[in-house]
Amino acid sequence: MGTLAGKTALVTGGSRGIGRGIAERLGRDGARVAVHYGSNEVAAKETVAAIEAAGGSAFAIGAELGVPGDAAALWAEFDKHADGVDVLVNNAGIGLYGTITDVQEADYDRVFAVNAKAPFFIVQEGLGRLRDGGRIINISSGVTRIAFPITVAYSMTKGAINTLTHTLAKDLGPRGITVNAVAPGIIDTEALDGLPAEQKTGMAAYSTFNRIGRPSDVADIVSFVASEDGRWVTGQVIDATGGSALGV
């Protein structure tokens, strides 16, 4: 029996990268996992298959985020498979590179729509489905602690996620619901495919462990705060950067 046996989890953006790592870990913990995807149904079904091959249970749901009605559409798909949720992981997000002088308004609006607005309304729409004693886990980023001018707009969205986390923890505490954020650093996902070895070496040097993180490094932290063992932790942003830029 896993630590989440009998529980239902929803992981947005659960088909690839960090999201897939989280979905697979929660599946191994015994949760029935809703693997959300925005456009890549094939990848979502592969994640479901991997969870099932490991003895778990999962289903895929598709909904584009960052568009009007996205939260309602996501939950409508979820409701076809389950009647409630115990663990909600707001992982889906997009990046945006550009300094303050480079970012265009349309791109700014888009990154906020996906990274900040969508999680807000996913929670709002999901509160009636989220069981007492449940968990909300928001995926933030180390860029809220370490300044990267090239990601200024993206970094702002994650700052908003941290504030949402802190505020919801206070609001939902009477229901026994914990709300935490996990803030990864540089993680080895598809986004790094094709980068030169020397660039990856430089990325690894940010961490005190001198390596690039793995999705499992983040998923294991999510697993803890999703479990009963994490019941006394709420309103926190948990640094998952592998000690990046500690001496700065």
Side-chain angles (χ1 to χ4, degrees), residues 23-34:
E24 292 187 359
R25 175 58 199 260
L26 297 183
R28 292 196 301 274
D29 288 344
R32 183 175 182 235
V33 184

Side-chain angles (χ1 to χ4, degrees), residues 135-172:
R135 305 284 189 262
I136 297 175
I137 303 162
N138 300 316
I139 302 304
S140 179
S141 173
V143 297
T144 60
R145 176 175 64 83
I146 307 167
F148 286 97
I150 195 67
T151 65
V152 58
Y154 170 82
S155 301
M156 288 172 66
T157 68
K158 295 304 185 177
I161 285 294
N162 290 356
T163 300
L164 176 66
T165 298
H166 181 77
T167 307
L168 283 178
K170 174 68 172 177
D171 194 19
L172 301 180

Side-chain angles (χ1 to χ4, degrees), residues 7-107:
K7 306 289 188 181
T8 299
L10 166 59
V11 181
T12 67
S15 64
R16 293 179 294 175
I18 293 173
R20 177 169 179 165
I22 293 169
E24 292 187 359
R25 175 58 199 260
L26 297 183
R28 292 196 301 274
D29 288 344
R32 183 175 182 235
V33 184
V35 178
H36 161 263
Y37 65 94
S39 59
N40 196 333
E41 183 179 8
V42 172
K45 289 184 175 179
E46 289 174 351
T47 302
V48 169
I51 292 170
E52 292 176 341
S57 175
F59 56 92
I61 57 172
E64 182 182 358
L65 301 185
V67 297
D70 52 2
L74 182 149
W75 286 113
E77 288 300 308
F78 177 89
D79 290 343
K80 295 176 182 178
H81 302 270
D83 60 1
V85 66
D86 301 282
V87 180
L88 169 60
V89 182
N90 284 307
N91 164 78
I94 60 174
L96 178 61
Y97 289 98
T99 65
I100 187 67
T101 58
D102 300 326
V103 173
Q104 300 299 304
E105 186 172 357
D107 295 327

